[in-house]
Amino acid sequence: MRITLSIIKADIGSVGGHIKPSEDLLKAVKDFVVEKGKGLIKSFYVSHTGDDVAILMSHTHGVGAEEIHRLAWDAFVAGTAVAKRQGLYGAGQDLLKDAFSGNVRGMGPAVAELEFDERPNEPFLFFAADKTDPGAYNLPLYLAFCDPMYNAGLMLSPSMAEGFEFTIMDVSYTEGDRVIKLRAPEDIYDIAALLRDNQRFVVESIHSRNNGEIAASVSTTRLHNIAGKYTGKDDPVMLVRVQGAFPATGEVLSPFSIGHYVAGFMRGSHTGPLMPVVKNSSISFFDGPPVVACLAFCVHEGELTEPADAFDHPYWDSIRNKVSDKATAIREQGFSGAAMLPYSELEYGGIVEKMKTLDRKFTVRE
Ligand code: 13P
Ligand code: 13P
Ligand code: MG
Ligand code: MG
């Protein structure tokens, strides 16, 4: 059966700052999808990661389908009404346009979609991260799809021996989708040269070279480019198919043990380590640290199983402790140097005004 998985997520308001949505907000989103999704979608799952609400849907309408995107948009509008009623912080934060027009791309919500012919068994992973941006997945995807140090299957599995094709987007180009296709293993130095720059070049999708099938899809939204000013970080979602011609689940999870430093954290303007967390986690220290959750599912004839919470395992406790230590270490130097993002990435307009004022006060000594 040909099936599409769509994950559409938005921050539509949260309790106590940028921490987590309220129970009532989540219920409003779920109730809306239950009612209006009848006959349209096969199956769905609603979860949150920090203050971001994600709707995972399986259906047969293909990628970018207007009715699917509208369902998610309208569900977020319904959730926003609750957020406003409860006085939640940042109600409707990611709904940047007044009216839905065909597709949520470019309207604020993040979207990642996969369309494929179901295998007899179809396991996949849904990732959602908060307080960071799509470039946060660059390193884990590189390691999981290019590096036998993290993915043993690249050596051991004949169906992965041919490697993968990366589609990488230049997200600072705003006139349209500027993309490049590069192949692992022969292009890995070029892939690395692009993916080192997490704010400019972002993995959009990955395909198997063994069967041409799509393996991974990442949301590439930059809210800053849509709104022209800071409205929140571009907290990214990702779908990854696993097993068979794709990496094993554990091979995709493996690079998340690094807790690598990503952009985001407080006011979207800092550098912090990415902490793997259990589903429906909240946010705390310095509006962070940046977090990522992973839910593993199987889908059959469009029907989703219950999720297995991939980072809910004793192994990840020591990783979380390590990430806490890394977060404390970088926070000790406050605003200085590497602890904050470069000027071009600072998400608050205030600093631009401040620099203009200061610039006028400079004098050049005779
Ligand atoms: P199976 O032996 O169940 O196929 O598992 C292989 C595997 O992918 C382990 O990582
Ligand atoms: P979100 O992008 O998750 O809403 O966080 C915004 C922020 O400024 C946190 O300090
Ligand atoms: Mg928020
Ligand atoms: Mg968020």
Side-chain angles (χ1 to χ4, degrees):
M1 177 175 193
R2 192 149 186 87
I3 168 113
T4 304
L5 298 175
S6 299
I7 176 83
I8 304 183
K9 77 98 230 178
D11 176 346
I12 50 173
S14 92
V15 175
H18 294 280
I19 294 186
K20 57 178 273 199
S22 69
E23 297 298 328
D24 286 358
L25 183 162
L26 285 166
K27 185 173 180 308
V29 171
K30 275 181 215 164
D31 288 350
F32 191 93
V33 178
V34 168
E35 180 166 340
K36 304 289 181 191
K38 271 192 204 111
L40 178 61
I41 56 176
K42 294 254 173 205
S43 186
F44 78 99
Y45 191 83
V46 173
S47 59
H48 77 87
T49 305
D51 59 7
D52 294 290
V53 180
I55 312 172
L56 170 66
M57 293 166 283
S58 67
H59 57 91
T60 54
H61 303 279
V63 167
E66 175 164 353
E67 56 272 50
I68 298 298
H69 283 228
R70 181 188 297 279
L71 174 66
W73 177 269
D74 289 346
F76 290 138
V77 169
T80 298
V82 173
K84 286 187 174 152
R85 201 165 68 227
Q86 293 187 305
L88 299 192
Y89 189 70
Q93 178 179 289
D94 285 353
L95 306 184
L96 300 180
K97 305 282 160 152
D98 293 332
F100 179 78
S101 61
N103 190 306
V104 296
R105 271 180 212 281
M107 300 186 68
V111 50
E113 301 185 290
L114 292 174
E115 185 180 1
F116 52 82
D117 290 314
E118 264 182 7
R119 297 171 287 175
N121 58 77
E122 187 61 63
F124 72 93
L125 308 177
F126 151 60
F127 288 87
D130 188 30
K131 305 301 181 266
T132 186
D133 61 20
Y137 296 129
N138 279 2
L139 181 64
L141 287 174
Y142 174 85
L143 295 173
F145 284 87
C146 300
D147 190 345
M149 294 286 284
Y150 286 81
N151 177 350
L154 294 171
M155 300 179 291
L156 300 177
S157 159
S159 55
M160 275 196 277
E162 289 159 75
F164 293 91
E165 182 181 72
F166 281 64
T167 303
I168 296 169
M169 185 181 284
D170 174 357
V171 291
S172 56
Y173 187 80
T174 51
E175 308 293 302
D177 291 349
R178 186 164 184 263
V179 294
I180 185 172
K181 289 184 192 291
L182 292 168
R183 302 180 138 203
E186 61 267 41
D187 299 331
I188 56 168
Y189 295 167
D190 293 338
I191 293 172
L194 295 178
L195 296 189
R196 57 159 288 284
D197 189 347
N198 291 330
Q199 272 59 66
R200 172 139 189 219
F201 299 109
V202 171
V203 178
E204 182 196 52
S205 60
I206 300 175
H207 287 78
S208 161
R209 292 172 68 184
N210 173 260
N211 57 16
E213 286 277 308
I214 189 152
S217 170
V218 182
S219 63
T220 51
T221 330
R222 290 221 65 183
L223 293 173
H224 191 99
N225 294 346
I226 303 171
K229 62 175 178 15
Y230 182 61
T231 56
K233 208 68 191 161
D234 319 297
D235 306 322
V237 288
M238 164 165 89
L239 291 165
V240 184
R241 297 169 75 195
V242 289
Q243 306 296 144
F246 310 118
T249 301
E251 288 164 342
V252 179
L253 300 181
S254 160
F256 289 93
S257 64
I258 299 170
H260 66 303
Y261 287 106
V262 298
F265 222 162
M266 176 60 72
R267 299 180 187 273
S269 302
H270 293 79
T271 300
L274 186 63
M275 181 183 279
V277 294
V278 301
K279 80 167 160 138
N280 300 336
S281 283
S282 69
I283 292 296
S284 178
F285 171 60
F286 203 59
D287 280 8
V291 294
V292 59
C294 175
L295 302 184
F297 290 87
C298 280
V299 58
H300 186 63
E301 290 173 0
E303 214 50 55
L304 293 166
T305 59
E306 77 275 22
D309 191 345
F311 293 133
D312 186 8
H313 184 278
Y315 170 78
W316 298 98
D317 291 340
S318 84
I319 300 299
R320 286 189 270 270
N321 287 335
K322 174 181 83 170
V323 172
S324 292
D325 290 343
K326 289 179 74 166
T328 304
I330 196 157
R331 285 311 320 137
E332 279 169 351
Q333 69 177 66
F335 59 76
S336 184
M340 274 193 96
L341 297 180
Y343 184 71
S344 58
E345 286 295 325
L346 290 187
E347 295 280 11
Y348 270 69
I351 191 120
V352 179
E353 292 312 312
K354 191 185 295 296
M355 294 311 281
K356 274 189 202 147
T357 312
L358 291 175
D359 195 59
R360 287 195 290 273
K361 291 186 180 173
F362 269 90
T363 58
V364 179
R365 210 176 271 145
E366 293 295 312

